[in-house]
Amino acid sequence: MSLYQVNKLLRDINCSMELAHRCQSEPEAVLQQYDLTAEEREAIKGWQVRRLYDMGANPLLLLVYSMAAGKDMRTYVAAMNEKVSG
Amino acid sequence: MAEIVAGIATSHVPFLAMHPQFELAEEGQRTRVVAGLGEARKIIEQTRPDAIVIFSTDHFDRCFYDNLPPFLVGVGEEAEGPINEWLRMPKVKLKIVSELGRFIVSEGLENGVDFASSQELPLDHAEVVPLSFITPTWNIPIVPIVVNAFAPPMPSLKRCWQVGAFVRKTITRWPQQKRIAVIGTGGISHWVGPPETGKVNAEFDRWFLQCLVDGKSAEVIEKYRNAEELEKIAGNGGQEIRDWLAVAAAMPSRLKPRVLAYEPIPQWATGTGVMAWV
């Protein structure tokens, strides 16, 4: 059920550039406010969108959160199609 | 009584209003899409609506899994947006015809369509991008109806058609001598966020447009009763055809459909279409 919290964080970043910036400058402080597993925290901190997608995060949220985080579409699509190890 | 004078259905791909992403599309394709939207603008200017009822999609910036209505009507005095700062579009403020919005909600609740309503509904790119082409002076007030097309479980295509038909009947029962246009925005095929992002299914899009032109929406509704089947063929963004079906259902029979533009544009990750009923 904590995937709800992943989607919630992605939604919040989509709606707030300030939060998008804070998630980059002080990720621990931001992530602490959400009930996330260690794996989810790691995937968000490392912008591992394919891993988050495979966990079940909503794809639209992954894309708009990435746009808010300043990624361009080409970088996003490349990351989404990376082979996932492990 | 109010009268429905025109209908428009169009994609709302944000890259239409973002630079340099707009220029990524081939020049001929983007010129034809903008020309189609220009034609939609002329139709609105010529039919002179007093208000626009606009069916559009939420992108998790107005609704979320904590509170997820299938159909949400804006009934405040005005609405501002787009809410997403990353679009880097200037914010606009639009008047809402709250009297008509409240009429649609209350008539619905009395007659089997359980609309949710909001006094503070912000706009997102689903309204602002197409309206920036169709009503660029922002002079026509709106009634926004936001449809859940991204967060399963979603209302079925059939239900969206029924709601569109209900809105047509309700507008024509509204006891004011007003001219109303109905717009629907979204789609057509696109994959927004999954590994297939960038893919477009032009064959599906052309079939869908032809079904609407031929008055065969029932065929679309029957074929894609299952949302997962629609997602396989048209992507998660293809679920936004709900808004097109709602407009088609809202059209009185005297208004005839025609396609104003269609271009499959992988650079915008969207099968981009514009259609009108006049």
Side-chain angles (χ1 to χ4, degrees):
Chain A
M1 187 54 200
S2 78
L3 206 66
Y4 172 76
Q5 293 285 322
V6 172
N7 284 326
K8 187 174 174 181
L9 171 59
L10 303 183
R11 187 280 307 257
D12 290 350
I13 290 172
N14 173 38
C15 294
S16 164
M17 290 300 281
E18 194 248 328
L19 186 64
H21 292 140
R22 274 188 63 220
C23 200
Q24 284 169 350
S25 61
E26 42 174 346
E28 290 297 347
V30 171
L31 297 180
Q32 247 177 26
Q33 293 168 28
Y34 297 82
D35 183 15
L36 303 167
T37 66
E39 191 190 6
E40 290 164 350
R41 253 198 303 276
E42 188 186 295
I44 291 166
K45 272 172 71 177
W47 189 64
Q48 296 173 322
V49 282
R50 180 55 191 257
R51 195 167 163 195
L52 290 163
Y53 175 74
D54 289 340
M55 286 178 196
N58 184 288
L60 169 65
L61 278 170
L62 285 169
L63 179 63
V64 291
Y65 136 79
S66 299
M67 296 288 118
K71 308 289 183 188
D72 63 37
M73 185 71 103
R74 191 176 299 178
T75 310
Y76 175 85
V77 173
M80 186 51 87
N81 284 284
E82 266 174 16
K83 286 264 180 281
V84 183
S85 57
Chain B
M1 296 296 163
E3 177 191 13
I4 295 174
V5 295
I8 305 286
T10 175
S11 303
H12 58 223
V13 52
F15 291 170
L16 268 165
M18 288 173 81
H19 301 276
Q21 291 90 338
F22 175 77
E23 285 77 15
L24 292 176
E26 285 174 20
E27 193 178 351
Q29 288 198 300
R30 62 183 199 243
T31 302
R32 287 189 288 274
V33 169
V34 170
L37 286 164
E39 214 174 320
R41 174 185 173 176
K42 276 188 205 146
I43 288 166
I44 293 299
E45 285 170 354
Q46 286 163 359
T47 53
R48 296 172 288 104
D50 300 298
I52 292 170
V53 173
I54 179 164
F55 287 94
S56 63
T57 313
D58 182 54
H59 297 85
F60 290 114
D61 39 31
R62 299 174 282 199
C63 305
F64 187 60
Y65 293 111
D66 59 343
N67 192 351
L68 205 53
F71 302 99
L72 173 61
V73 184
V75 296
E77 294 301 317
E78 57 188 18
E80 191 175 356
I83 191 170
N84 321 90
E85 295 165 51
W86 57 266
L87 283 168
R88 293 184 171 78
M89 283 183 72
K91 282 202 184 343
V92 294
K93 203 177 269 188
L94 266 174
K95 288 246 174 288
I96 291 181
V97 189
S98 52
E99 200 180 332
L100 177 56
R102 287 196 304 269
F103 185 71
I104 290 171
V105 172
S106 59
E107 286 290 305
L109 292 170
E110 282 176 26
N111 294 287
V113 182
D114 298 332
F115 290 110
S117 61
S118 169
Q119 288 278 347
E120 289 190 77
L121 183 73
L123 302 175
D124 91 356
H125 73 268
E127 297 91 21
V128 176
V129 169
L131 290 180
S132 71
F133 288 87
I134 298 169
T135 58
T137 57
W138 308 103
N139 58 329
I140 305 177
I142 63 170
V143 176
I145 303 181
V146 176
V147 179
N148 173 18
F150 271 112
M154 299 170 289
S156 67
L157 300 187
K158 185 178 180 182
R159 187 57 175 159
C160 294
W161 175 271
Q162 289 169 337
V163 168
F166 178 82
V167 165
R168 167 171 44 81
K169 286 181 202 150
T170 305
I171 288 171
T172 53
R173 279 207 309 270
W174 191 38
Q176 294 214 13
Q177 296 289 335
K178 299 285 185 190
R179 300 167 64 82
I180 311 291
V182 183
I183 293 180
T185 87
I188 308 174
S189 70
H190 59 306
W191 280 254
V192 199
E196 300 92 334
T197 298
K199 182 177 159 186
V200 172
N201 186 343
E203 191 184 340
F204 170 85
D205 293 341
R206 291 196 172 101
W207 170 80
F208 173 68
L209 289 169
Q210 198 57 49
C211 284
L212 293 194
V213 168
D214 295 342
K216 292 181 177 169
S217 302
E219 208 173 296
V220 180
I221 291 166
E222 181 57 31
K223 190 165 183 181
Y224 295 107
R225 290 167 69 176
N226 180 325
E228 287 177 15
E229 289 301 315
L230 179 59
E231 188 152 334
K232 273 186 216 159
I233 202 87
N236 55 338
Q239 303 286 358
E240 292 178 326
I241 64 169
R242 284 164 170 74
D243 299 318
W244 291 58
L245 290 169
V247 176
M251 291 299 103
S253 56
R254 70 174 191 285
L255 299 182
K256 304 300 177 199
R258 66 188 162 96
V259 176
L260 305 181
Y262 173 73
E263 297 292 331
I265 305 181
Q267 298 91 330
W268 292 353
T270 308
T272 309
V274 188
M275 190 167 171
W277 287 258
V278 277

